[in-house]
Amino acid sequence: QVQLVESGGGLVQAGGSLRLSCAASGRTFSSYAMGWFRQAPGKEREVVATISWGFGSTYYADSAKGRFTISRDNAKNTVYLQMNSLKPEDTAVYYCAVASSPYSHDYKYWGQGTQVTVSS
């Protein structure tokens, strides 16, 4: 019943911006951590950013610091990833995920992903 739907991906030139959204349904996740992950062709999935919906504590991968911002809207049960100053190496399928229990960072639920392509 839990479902995550990502949106906002697309094709953008280097230096441009995109805003990804992830709408969750089936449960209220105000106290659950949410993460954005990405997987590029031929590479393993990696974490981009995470946020605790309960307290708003955030984590960013080194590659995302200073360029990406993760945020949440508990009323809409939605998390966002604002992506600025995009680089070709950001090209990947981006996935959102929700933790298995409140305040856990063991991610159990995953969306289908949204493609982000950054041209040079």
Side-chain angles (χ1 to χ4, degrees):
Q1 188 170 356
V2 173
Q3 186 174 4
L4 306 176
V5 180
E6 302 100 333
S7 62
L11 193 153
V12 64
Q13 294 185 9
S17 299
L18 288 173
R19 188 186 188 221
L20 306 183
S21 299
C22 178
S25 62
R27 188 184 302 173
T28 298
F29 291 104
S30 60
S31 62
Y32 289 68
M34 166 72 75
W36 284 99
F37 298 75
R38 68 186 182 188
Q39 187 168 23
K43 297 184 180 295
E44 295 184 359
R45 186 174 296 181
E46 62 179 353
V47 63
V48 178
T50 63
I51 186 169
S52 170
W53 290 1
F55 300 108
S57 178
T58 59
Y59 163 84
Y60 295 94
D62 287 342
S63 61
K65 290 179 180 177
R67 300 189 300 125
F68 296 179
T69 302
I70 188 169
S71 61
R72 61 181 169 89
D73 187 337
N74 287 339
K76 297 180 179 179
N77 217 24
T78 300
V79 300
Y80 306 93
L81 185 68
Q82 179 66 47
M83 308 167 66
N84 298 326
S85 302
L86 284 162
K87 305 174 181 179
E89 51 263 44
D90 295 318
T91 296
V93 177
Y94 284 70
Y95 301 87
C96 66
V98 177
S100 60
S101 61
Y103 310 114
S104 171
H105 278 261
D106 176 20
Y107 293 94
K108 181 177 181 179
Y109 306 105
W110 295 81
Q112 293 298 307
T114 184
Q115 177 70 47
V116 171
T117 302
V118 184
S119 62
S120 60

